[in-house]
Amino acid sequence: MTNTVSYIPPRPDPRLPPPRINLFSDTQTKPTPAMREAMARAEVGDEQFGDDPTVWALCDRMCALLGTEAAVFLPSGTMANQIAIRVHCRPGDEILAHETAHIVTSEHGGPWANAGAAVRGLPGERGIFSAETLRAAIRPKSRYAPPQSLVSVEQTANIAGGTVWRAEELAAVVEVARAAGLATHMDGARLMNAAVALGVPAAALARGFDSVWLDFSKGLGAPVGAVLCGSRAFIDEAWRWKQRMGGAMRQAGVIAAACLHALDHHVARLAEDHANARLFADRLAAIEGVTVQPPETNLVFFDPSGAGLSPEALAARLAQRGIRISVLGGRCRAATHLDVTAAMVEEAAAEIRAILGG
Ligand SMILES: *Cc1c(COP(=O)(O)O)cnc(C)c1O
């Protein structure tokens, strides 16, 4: 073992104040009192044996929401991606996805390790590749080249700016993939953010995809959980991998209840997160030397380098003042969510202005 870094996440630094304004990620939401009550009241059973009524209720609800035949409850979005890839691909296959996709950057090589499948990164502005780019990347079937079996899109595209794929862009990509005999997968970690931003039903964005999942532990505010959806045959296979990977659970209704509560109470309010993100971006854009990507949803990417401070240095200075942001893909990222108010966003922007002397 010659690791120079530890893979164990660090404990909170006792020299830093606890975050007063937490823009680090929408994963940092804490379950609300009402959500905790729903969890406490949940009817439960052994999920692994199909006995948990609350998990079934969540799966049925997701099928209705996304227009799919079947669904499976999983502990994380990463597991949803890995299981879907494992079902769609065989060792040696190639997956086509945007070069900034989570499956490329943030799952520790999962597609290569778990499915034996390579991901080929496609270019495209704002994390979105066009149907033409996809068509150009698809090779004729051959005994020599790796077989291409899957196209994956990310809704919203996280590192690219929390950007939104429009229904027409998705439909065009699905059409090209289908024509070439490739399966289609949607990493819908923030699918509901996209649906709310566009004002369209989530099913309209998931249409035509062979698999799609939604994360509940991001802006929807649940502590744990993702639901992977698809055809009955797809979910049947997905269950084998859930079992093999250790994703089969027991009284999981406790966490499924939080997800159901989120669907009832935390979807429409995502519009507030988007408004707060726009407010924050407007305030930052008024600071000299700061470049801001206009937010499309709840993620604000900006670069303070023009004001003389690196993204890392700014994040460290903010942490000393009880404000947490992240650095992702070489830029600062601030995420608005359930536990972030307009007043907090104003305060964070004012602190950044004070630090940068703007
Ligand atoms: C967070 C995220 C994931 C992984 O979800 P977890 O529930 O954290 O495992 C996958 N894809 C995208 C785009 C994400 O933002």
Side-chain angles (χ1 to χ4, degrees):
M1 293 297 215
T2 54
N3 293 339
T4 53
V5 297
S6 172
Y7 294 123
I8 304 170
R11 290 173 197 245
D13 185 340
R15 292 161 305 179
L16 292 176
R20 162 169 67 83
I21 301 176
N22 195 341
L23 302 167
F24 185 80
S25 173
D26 47 7
T27 58
Q28 306 246 327
T29 50
K30 304 268 172 70
T32 61
M35 180 179 276
R36 286 178 190 254
E37 259 172 50
M39 295 171 78
R41 279 197 313 268
E43 269 187 65
V44 298
D46 192 335
E47 191 257 1
Q48 192 171 123
F49 288 96
D51 285 342
D52 194 300
T54 309
V55 170
W56 281 123
L58 176 63
C59 289
D60 291 347
R61 186 81 184 271
M62 287 303 294
C63 286
L65 184 70
L66 300 185
T68 56
E69 238 174 31
V72 59
F73 190 39
L74 298 170
S76 75
T78 300
M79 193 183 278
N81 273 336
Q82 293 305 314
I83 288 178
I85 288 170
R86 193 62 191 77
V87 173
H88 290 305
C89 304
R90 296 291 157 268
D93 283 2
E94 188 174 85
I95 301 164
L96 298 165
H98 194 268
E99 59 198 2
T100 61
H102 197 275
I103 57 169
V104 176
T105 63
S106 309
E107 299 185 12
H108 203 61
W112 291 263
N114 297 330
V119 188
R120 172 146 161 222
L122 301 179
E125 293 286 304
R126 298 168 38 253
I128 288 158
F129 52 85
S130 65
E132 291 66 47
T133 297
L134 176 61
R135 193 178 286 121
I138 296 176
R139 293 181 296 263
K141 287 205 190 321
S142 124
R143 181 155 55 84
Y144 300 101
Q148 295 173 312
S149 53
L150 181 65
V151 177
S152 180
V153 305
E154 194 171 292
Q155 179 75 300
T156 64
N158 179 353
I159 296 185
T163 51
V164 177
W165 287 77
R166 273 144 244 285
E168 315 81 73
E169 293 168 327
L170 293 166
V173 158
V174 166
E175 192 184 319
V176 169
R178 283 234 170 129
L182 306 189
T184 49
H185 172 69
M186 179 183 283
D187 170 341
R190 296 185 180 81
L191 171 58
M192 297 319 292
N193 289 85
V196 167
L198 293 172
V200 301
L205 300 174
R207 188 169 297 142
F209 280 83
D210 296 305
S211 52
V212 51
W213 63 270
L214 174 66
D215 215 338
F216 288 91
S217 62
K218 301 268 162 87
L220 293 177
V224 189
V227 174
L228 174 65
C229 299
S231 69
R232 224 193 131 73
F234 171 83
I235 295 299
D236 204 53
E237 278 293 297
W239 255 102
R240 296 173 60 211
W241 295 103
K242 166 169 153 124
Q243 189 69 34
R244 184 170 285 175
M245 288 180 171
M249 295 177 273
R250 301 301 183 182
Q251 286 69 35
V254 172
I255 49 177
C259 302
L260 282 165
H261 180 87
L263 288 176
D264 286 334
H265 302 283
H266 296 169
V267 174
R269 66 151 307 285
L270 291 172
E272 287 172 41
D273 297 342
H274 300 170
N276 286 337
R278 285 193 299 271
L279 173 66
F280 188 56
D282 286 348
R283 294 291 184 265
L284 291 179
I287 303 172
E288 205 170 317
V290 178
T291 42
V292 190
Q293 179 178 350
E296 298 179 27
T297 53
N298 70 322
L299 305 178
V300 184
F301 282 79
F302 62 101
D303 186 358
S305 306
L309 216 55
S310 70
E312 291 79 6
L314 176 62
R317 293 280 293 277
L318 284 169
Q320 285 161 4
R321 297 173 183 223
I323 299 172
R324 273 185 100 177
I325 62 166
S326 58
V327 178
L328 208 57
R331 296 186 290 173
C332 292
R333 189 190 75 170
T336 56
H337 53 75
L338 203 53
D339 299 336
V340 174
T341 63
M344 288 180 183
V345 155
E346 292 274 16
E347 192 181 333
E351 292 276 13
I352 290 171
R353 179 184 281 278
I355 290 168
L356 296 176

